[in-house]
Amino acid sequence: MDINTLKTKVIGLFKQGLTPIELTQSIIVSGLISTIPILGVSTFLLTALSFKRKLNLPIMIAQSYIMWPVQVIMIIPFINIGEFILSIPKTNHSAQEIIASFQNSFFATLSHLSFELLCGFGGWLLTAVPFSAGLYLVSIFILKLFLKNND
């Protein structure tokens, strides 16, 4: 198999006949879900969303793996935002401690750090969701301008 055939097959896998707007939705939804501050749930959520909304699963999973460092980096800030919003004392957990806890036992971590993870989820909802919605609207506007100029 030559390099052009392989390139065509890979591009076809990522496009899957989707429109530019559907590809944009796949990328933005994947970026949003990939930053949820609860390790281990993004792949499941992305798969479910891709089937329900007919989005591009290969792009979403690839982006999820690329976004993993961002997810890890954002765990503590999301928890801090949630704690600030709920006006509760700040916890002193580190990202490494949370990751190690998830690696040892997913369900024990959910039980032990449930309140912190709930605060992190709240922080994610209050920051990442509005940011992604704004990014989506701007992207759609730019895509429509670009597609309009190409016609």
Side-chain angles (χ1 to χ4, degrees):
M1 180 183 315
D2 68 349
I3 194 74
N4 287 330
T5 306
L6 181 63
K7 182 179 174 183
T8 304
K9 286 185 179 189
V10 169
I11 290 172
L13 176 68
F14 281 104
K15 279 186 157 183
Q16 289 184 346
L18 299 177
T19 67
I21 291 175
E22 291 169 328
L23 285 172
T24 301
Q25 287 175 343
S26 297
I27 292 167
I28 291 176
V29 165
S30 177
L32 174 64
I33 299 299
S34 296
T35 59
I36 286 178
I38 302 171
L39 300 176
V41 300
S42 60
T43 302
F44 172 75
L45 291 174
L46 290 173
T47 303
L49 279 170
S50 72
F51 288 129
K52 178 151 179 64
R53 304 274 308 159
K54 295 187 171 115
L55 299 174
N56 189 308
L57 184 59
I59 283 179
M60 294 172 81
I61 296 297
Q63 184 176 357
S64 175
Y65 285 118
I66 292 168
M67 295 285 294
W68 190 81
V70 174
Q71 180 183 28
V72 170
I73 290 168
M74 293 304 295
I75 288 173
I76 299 301
F78 284 143
I79 290 173
N80 291 340
I81 291 167
E83 289 172 340
F84 175 76
I85 297 299
L86 296 173
S87 298
I88 59 170
K90 209 172 175 184
T91 58
N92 292 321
H93 296 291
S94 69
Q96 291 82 13
E97 178 186 351
I98 294 171
I99 292 168
S101 184
F102 269 115
Q103 289 174 340
N104 290 333
S105 175
F106 179 80
F107 293 107
T109 301
L110 288 179
S111 174
H112 176 68
L113 298 174
S114 60
F115 189 71
E116 289 85 356
L117 294 174
L118 182 62
C119 288
F121 187 73
W124 173 80
L125 280 173
L126 293 171
T127 56
V129 173
F131 175 78
S132 295
L135 183 61
Y136 174 73
L137 293 173
V138 169
S139 299
I140 295 302
F141 177 75
I142 291 170
L143 267 174
K144 286 183 179 180
L145 283 177
F146 180 74
L147 294 174
K148 187 178 188 182
N149 289 339
N150 284 343
D151 288 339

